[in-house]
Amino acid sequence: MDEAVEPRRGTLPPHFRKLDFSERRNALAEAFSLTPDELKITAPDADTAELADVLVENAIGCFSVPVGIVPRYVIDGTDRTIPLATEEPSVVAAASFAAGIISRAGGATTWADAPVMTAQIVVENAAAHAEDAVARNATEIERILEPILGGMTRRGGGFRGVEVARLPETGLVCVHVHIDVRDAMGANILNTAAERLRAPIESLTGGSILMAILTNVSDRRLAGAEIRLPVLRLGRAGRSGHEMARRIVLANRFADENNARAVTHNKGIMNGVTAIALATANDTRALEAAVHAYAARDARYRVLTEYQVVGDELVGSVRLPIALATVGGATGFHPAAGLALKLLGNPDAPQLSRIAAAVGLAQNFAALSALVGEGIQGGHMRLHAERVAWKAGARGKNIRIVAERLAAAGTIEHKAAVRELRFVIDSESQ
Ligand code: MEV
């Protein structure tokens, strides 16, 4: 039989992308001999299937990620309910634990820059006067962009200036156009603006455009949070509050000095920030790329937090680029994002960035106090035991019962979980 007509097992038909949603699922099931149960794993309801189909190409289903709530986190005097979408056990628990401590001490205070993003227009073979010509014509560039930025300008955003530089190695001329994108992430409007400027920039510089696209760097869109915690309340794992505060400050300094630790430290901050981004259907890759570039801005990868003891308080702060949208893109489209924004009190983009900064800081404080306190594994192992129990077939209240038995026995393994589950079920039926 002709292989092009009859695909081999594990190979999808050549016309796969032309199939509709359910035909694609059937083709997948056939090519990979999927059982109905396997196929059910990615099965959305009819509405969500339509949504998946318009959100991505070749959609075959949905992948669900748990959403957990950090309840009652006081941020800038407001009690917030914060949805986090994450697959990692302990992220919601850690943030909730820290949010409780921070809120009892008065809450986090936050700030955010105006949401200014940047488009890059890159020119090769530019004339000697190119940088000057662009800089002198900033007003003309603003005028050219008016039809694109009109709505944004009326909402208080819009054009925020031009910068131009010639790069020393390639000799390329790089034009940066800054735009306040208000509540949007800005990718569409920036790319449209960058494309619109191709011809005008070519004629100003006498060169030809290599590319025109936004940069995700977002270093004009920083956000931050601060917490002030009475040292006396930080005692943990047999250590006094003073000792815990000293150790947290030292742990932060260690991470700032040591690249290997700084990566994990910042990853912990992003556990919270990315989880808010995902819950609101924001672009998590853009966010993470910008954050790690910012952490490396001093030509060495550094931490995003600072801690010091001031009087009888531990003062912690975080500062990082957080480009999050509350309108447009998948955020304005995905019903789960709409729900998350409603729970968050329908913030505007800078407010959402501020909440995310506060959650990132809470996450970091929780991690550091566990690390320099009793260690991180205790809490993690309990959650790990629950996953092992689930995998062994435990459901409902049995998940916790089996997990507790596994943790008490000190053997968190599949075989032991199957044994414990059988024991629990047998005891129930007696
Ligand atoms: C785990 O996802 C995050 C931590 O490793 C962060 C940290 O070490 O600071 C606990």
Side-chain angles (χ1 to χ4, degrees), residues 34-192:
L34 300 183
T35 65
D37 275 351
E38 283 171 327
L39 205 54
K40 218 168 63 186
I41 294 169
T42 58
D45 58 41
D47 261 7
T48 319
E50 296 277 354
L51 180 71
D53 218 13
V54 292
L55 277 176
V56 304
E57 302 76 22
N58 292 349
I60 56 96
C62 290
F63 181 99
S64 51
V65 174
V67 178
I69 295 288
V70 177
R72 312 187 62 106
Y73 186 3
V74 178
I75 301 173
D76 299 314
T78 302
D79 203 325
R80 297 275 182 188
T81 299
I82 299 165
L84 298 182
T86 178
E87 88 303 341
E88 183 174 332
S90 87
V91 165
V92 179
S96 304
F97 160 78
I101 296 179
I102 297 166
S103 299
R104 281 191 292 281
T109 51
T110 67
W111 56 272
D113 289 339
V116 175
M117 299 290 289
T118 302
Q120 293 192 294
I121 301 110
V122 186
V123 190
E124 64 175 333
N125 302 321
H129 67 275
E131 297 101 296
D132 236 28
V134 173
R136 271 190 285 107
N137 282 280
T139 315
E140 175 60 8
I141 291 173
E142 179 174 10
R143 195 194 57 73
I144 294 168
L145 292 180
E146 258 168 31
I148 295 170
L149 299 183
M152 205 62 103
T153 308
R154 280 190 294 282
R155 290 196 297 280
F159 183 79
R160 290 292 183 269
V162 174
E163 280 177 326
V164 56
R166 193 178 292 263
L167 305 183
E169 282 174 30
T170 54
L172 292 166
V173 165
C174 193
V175 180
H176 280 187
V177 179
H178 306 299
I179 296 170
D180 181 324
V181 297
R182 298 283 88 189
D183 292 326
M185 191 267 184
N188 262 335
I189 202 143
L190 284 158
N191 288 341
T192 308

Side-chain angles (χ1 to χ4, degrees), residues 378-399:
H380 279 193
M381 286 324 268
R382 186 180 55 74
L383 290 157
H384 174 59
E386 287 187 4
R387 281 194 299 177
V388 173
W390 187 88
K391 201 132 194 258
R395 294 293 181 272
K397 67 177 180 356
N398 285 350
I399 297 175

